[in-house]
Amino acid sequence: MEALRVWRASSNLLGFAASRAAAAAAASAGRAHRFHIRCCSPAAAATTKPPQDRRRRSASSSSTSDRDSIRAIRLKKVEELRGKGYEPYAYKWDRTHTTKELQERYTHLENGEVCTEASVSIAGRIVARRAFGKLVFMTIRDDSGTIQLYCEKDSLTEEQFEQLKAFIDVGDILGASGSIKKTEKGELSVYVSFFEILTKSLLPLPDKYHGLTDVDKRYRQRYIDMIANPEVADVFRTRAKVVSEIRKTMESFGFIEVETPVLQGEAGGAEARPFITHHNSLQRDLYLRIATELHLKRMLVGGLEKVYEIGRIFRNEGISTRHNPEFTTIELDV
């Protein structure tokens, strides 16, 4: 009510409207009306908006602090592993199968069946981990797909099982060997008898359920995007096939692929703003090419009759999710 009196004193017009509303509320017995009074003065605006900003800053700083604490914990694990005589960044691992090959070769196994005569070795990134007393289940992903690791205390040494529980995190790259087993629930698994940490991850993966949704991060850190969204890698596989077929087609027409300089004394071949860099030895400015045209024409002058180039060009103009200042073109000259 004190706020209401202050508000009425500040504006007769608003006070009249409020009194009419209050009278209507008094006339309607049994019905409750709620009035929200918003102060539009600069002072009130200053006291209204900052809490939201503070919450955003608090959430951001909390997220950064969580990442820093996780990194500190994992760095400590790296040091402890080295103190125990293990190298958390191994030099190599001999792999016998990919996850896709195992899924295809042993799909015939019955639920609960163990193929003891099989001896397999795989490697990949841990994308999920579940521990139940003497059992630890992990999902491992390589370039071809995923498969489950079935880690039982009785099949590992005491030291390895403790290492599995204490030092292995989601995101680590692991090498594992053993036999093949299909669980009672029908999940094909590698029945692990030995494993080795190949790369210790220092930062957590993006949230399993929400994935990586930050568009800026997806484009700037494509490796994280591919970990969080495996289907993104198919874009790169498709692109590689397209470029390969283009090369085959050009060769079938008698064209020769050439590579021309990226650094040029003058930007030419198109109208665009170039990136400028400095050559220390020559003591002169150079330009990242904005087109491959001029040097391809020089190849024709030199005597080649059909040439083409699939190359990167650089145009210092704008940026968006559909426009990158650095991109690939194909140009052919005859």
Short mmCIF file of all heavy atoms in Angstrom, two decimals, residues 12 30 59 68-69 90 101 107 112 129 151 169 186 188-189 201 212 215 221 229 234 240-241 245 247 282 286:
data_model
loop_
_atom_site.label_atom_id
_atom_site.label_comp_id
_atom_site.label_asym_id
_atom_site.label_seq_id
_atom_site.Cartn_x
_atom_site.Cartn_y
_atom_site.Cartn_z
N ASN A 12 -1.26 11.75 -11.28
CA ASN A 12 -2.69 11.79 -11.00
C ASN A 12 -3.47 10.91 -11.95
O ASN A 12 -4.45 10.26 -11.59
CB ASN A 12 -3.20 13.25 -11.12
CG ASN A 12 -2.67 14.11 -10.00
OD1 ASN A 12 -2.39 13.59 -8.92
ND2 ASN A 12 -2.51 15.41 -10.25
N GLY A 30 -15.82 -11.63 -3.29
CA GLY A 30 -15.41 -13.02 -3.49
C GLY A 30 -14.39 -13.21 -4.59
O GLY A 30 -13.91 -14.31 -4.80
N ALA A 59 25.98 -17.79 -14.02
CA ALA A 59 25.93 -19.10 -14.69
C ALA A 59 27.18 -19.31 -15.52
O ALA A 59 27.76 -20.40 -15.53
CB ALA A 59 24.68 -19.19 -15.56
N ASP A 68 37.26 -25.63 -14.97
CA ASP A 68 38.59 -25.50 -14.38
C ASP A 68 38.82 -26.54 -13.29
O ASP A 68 39.91 -27.12 -13.19
CB ASP A 68 38.77 -24.09 -13.79
CG ASP A 68 38.87 -23.03 -14.88
OD1 ASP A 68 39.12 -23.41 -16.04
OD2 ASP A 68 38.68 -21.85 -14.56
N SER A 69 37.80 -26.79 -12.47
CA SER A 69 37.96 -27.77 -11.40
C SER A 69 38.09 -29.18 -11.96
O SER A 69 38.89 -29.98 -11.47
CB SER A 69 36.78 -27.69 -10.42
OG SER A 69 35.57 -27.99 -11.08
N ALA A 90 49.93 -42.71 -24.57
CA ALA A 90 50.72 -43.82 -25.11
C ALA A 90 51.18 -43.54 -26.54
O ALA A 90 50.55 -42.77 -27.28
CB ALA A 90 49.90 -45.10 -25.07
N GLU A 101 33.37 -53.66 -37.70
CA GLU A 101 33.72 -55.04 -38.08
C GLU A 101 33.25 -56.03 -37.02
O GLU A 101 32.74 -57.10 -37.35
CB GLU A 101 35.24 -55.14 -38.29
CG GLU A 101 35.74 -54.44 -39.54
CD GLU A 101 37.25 -54.39 -39.60
OE1 GLU A 101 37.91 -54.63 -38.56
OE2 GLU A 101 37.79 -54.08 -40.68
N THR A 107 27.39 -60.63 -34.89
CA THR A 107 25.98 -60.34 -34.66
C THR A 107 25.15 -61.60 -34.43
O THR A 107 24.05 -61.54 -33.88
CB THR A 107 25.41 -59.54 -35.86
OG1 THR A 107 24.09 -59.14 -35.58
CG2 THR A 107 25.41 -60.39 -37.12
N GLY A 112 23.78 -63.65 -23.91
CA GLY A 112 24.49 -64.33 -22.83
C GLY A 112 25.64 -65.19 -23.31
O GLY A 112 26.39 -65.74 -22.49
N ARG A 129 29.90 -44.28 -19.55
CA ARG A 129 30.52 -45.14 -18.53
C ARG A 129 29.52 -45.38 -17.41
O ARG A 129 28.89 -44.44 -16.93
CB ARG A 129 31.78 -44.47 -17.97
CG ARG A 129 32.55 -45.27 -16.95
CD ARG A 129 33.78 -44.49 -16.48
NE ARG A 129 34.59 -45.25 -15.55
CZ ARG A 129 34.37 -45.31 -14.25
NH1 ARG A 129 33.34 -44.64 -13.71
NH2 ARG A 129 35.15 -46.01 -13.46
N CYS A 151 33.61 -54.88 -18.57
CA CYS A 151 34.78 -54.99 -17.69
C CYS A 151 34.36 -55.62 -16.36
O CYS A 151 33.64 -54.98 -15.58
CB CYS A 151 35.41 -53.62 -17.46
SG CYS A 151 35.80 -52.72 -18.97
N ASP A 169 37.89 -41.74 -17.30
CA ASP A 169 36.76 -40.83 -17.38
C ASP A 169 36.17 -40.84 -18.79
O ASP A 169 36.84 -41.24 -19.76
CB ASP A 169 37.19 -39.40 -17.04
CG ASP A 169 37.72 -39.27 -15.63
OD1 ASP A 169 36.94 -39.48 -14.69
OD2 ASP A 169 38.92 -38.97 -15.47
N GLY A 186 21.29 -58.52 -24.87
CA GLY A 186 21.53 -58.48 -26.31
C GLY A 186 22.52 -57.45 -26.79
O GLY A 186 22.57 -57.15 -27.99
N LEU A 188 26.12 -56.49 -27.82
CA LEU A 188 27.41 -57.07 -28.19
C LEU A 188 28.52 -56.28 -27.50
O LEU A 188 28.54 -55.05 -27.55
CB LEU A 188 27.60 -57.03 -29.69
CG LEU A 188 28.83 -57.79 -30.21
CD1 LEU A 188 28.66 -59.29 -30.02
CD2 LEU A 188 29.10 -57.47 -31.68
N SER A 189 29.45 -56.99 -26.86
CA SER A 189 30.46 -56.33 -26.04
C SER A 189 31.82 -57.00 -26.20
O SER A 189 31.90 -58.19 -26.54
CB SER A 189 30.07 -56.37 -24.55
OG SER A 189 28.76 -55.91 -24.35
N SER A 201 41.82 -37.51 -21.36
CA SER A 201 41.10 -36.27 -21.64
C SER A 201 41.11 -35.37 -20.42
O SER A 201 40.87 -35.83 -19.30
CB SER A 201 39.65 -36.60 -22.04
OG SER A 201 38.90 -35.42 -22.16
N LEU A 212 25.93 -30.49 -28.29
CA LEU A 212 26.56 -29.19 -28.50
C LEU A 212 25.61 -28.33 -29.33
O LEU A 212 25.38 -28.60 -30.50
CB LEU A 212 27.90 -29.36 -29.21
CG LEU A 212 28.71 -28.10 -29.45
CD1 LEU A 212 29.13 -27.46 -28.14
CD2 LEU A 212 29.95 -28.41 -30.28
N VAL A 215 26.01 -22.54 -31.73
CA VAL A 215 26.34 -22.51 -33.15
C VAL A 215 27.75 -22.01 -33.38
O VAL A 215 28.51 -22.54 -34.20
CB VAL A 215 25.33 -21.63 -33.92
CG1 VAL A 215 25.74 -21.50 -35.39
CG2 VAL A 215 23.94 -22.23 -33.82
N GLN A 221 34.98 -24.85 -33.39
CA GLN A 221 35.63 -26.03 -32.83
C GLN A 221 34.95 -27.27 -33.38
O GLN A 221 34.19 -27.94 -32.70
CB GLN A 221 35.56 -25.99 -31.30
CG GLN A 221 36.31 -24.79 -30.71
CD GLN A 221 36.15 -24.71 -29.20
OE1 GLN A 221 35.14 -24.23 -28.70
NE2 GLN A 221 37.14 -25.18 -28.48
N ASN A 229 28.27 -34.67 -31.98
CA ASN A 229 27.30 -35.01 -33.03
C ASN A 229 28.02 -35.84 -34.09
O ASN A 229 28.49 -35.28 -35.09
CB ASN A 229 26.71 -33.73 -33.65
CG ASN A 229 26.14 -32.80 -32.61
OD1 ASN A 229 25.20 -33.13 -31.90
ND2 ASN A 229 26.73 -31.61 -32.49
N ASP A 234 29.95 -37.24 -41.34
CA ASP A 234 29.50 -37.69 -42.65
C ASP A 234 29.60 -36.59 -43.69
O ASP A 234 29.79 -36.85 -44.89
CB ASP A 234 28.05 -38.19 -42.57
CG ASP A 234 27.91 -39.45 -41.73
OD1 ASP A 234 28.92 -40.18 -41.61
OD2 ASP A 234 26.82 -39.70 -41.20
N ALA A 240 34.88 -35.34 -49.21
CA ALA A 240 36.08 -36.01 -49.73
C ALA A 240 35.75 -36.82 -50.99
O ALA A 240 36.52 -36.83 -51.95
CB ALA A 240 36.69 -36.91 -48.66
N LYS A 241 34.59 -37.49 -50.97
CA LYS A 241 34.19 -38.28 -52.14
C LYS A 241 33.87 -37.38 -53.33
O LYS A 241 34.22 -37.71 -54.47
CB LYS A 241 32.97 -39.13 -51.79
CG LYS A 241 33.28 -40.26 -50.81
CD LYS A 241 32.03 -41.04 -50.45
CE LYS A 241 32.34 -42.14 -49.43
NZ LYS A 241 31.11 -42.88 -49.04
N GLU A 245 35.82 -37.44 -56.94
CA GLU A 245 35.14 -37.66 -58.21
C GLU A 245 35.40 -36.50 -59.18
O GLU A 245 35.53 -36.72 -60.40
CB GLU A 245 33.63 -37.82 -57.98
CG GLU A 245 33.26 -39.12 -57.29
CD GLU A 245 33.73 -40.35 -58.06
OE1 GLU A 245 33.59 -40.36 -59.31
OE2 GLU A 245 34.23 -41.29 -57.42
N ARG A 247 38.15 -34.77 -59.33
CA ARG A 247 39.51 -35.00 -59.87
C ARG A 247 39.49 -36.07 -60.96
O ARG A 247 40.15 -35.92 -62.00
CB ARG A 247 40.44 -35.40 -58.72
CG ARG A 247 40.87 -34.25 -57.83
CD ARG A 247 42.05 -34.63 -56.96
NE ARG A 247 42.63 -33.45 -56.35
CZ ARG A 247 42.39 -33.07 -55.10
NH1 ARG A 247 41.57 -33.77 -54.34
NH2 ARG A 247 42.97 -31.98 -54.61
N LEU A 282 61.88 -10.66 -47.54
CA LEU A 282 61.79 -9.76 -48.69
C LEU A 282 61.49 -8.32 -48.27
O LEU A 282 61.57 -7.41 -49.11
CB LEU A 282 60.69 -10.24 -49.64
CG LEU A 282 60.90 -11.61 -50.28
CD1 LEU A 282 59.72 -11.96 -51.18
CD2 LEU A 282 62.21 -11.65 -51.07
N LEU A 286 52.71 -8.81 -48.79
CA LEU A 286 52.14 -9.74 -49.77
C LEU A 286 50.66 -9.92 -49.47
O LEU A 286 50.18 -9.56 -48.39
CB LEU A 286 52.86 -11.09 -49.72
CG LEU A 286 54.34 -11.10 -50.13
CD1 LEU A 286 54.95 -12.47 -49.91
CD2 LEU A 286 54.50 -10.67 -51.58
#
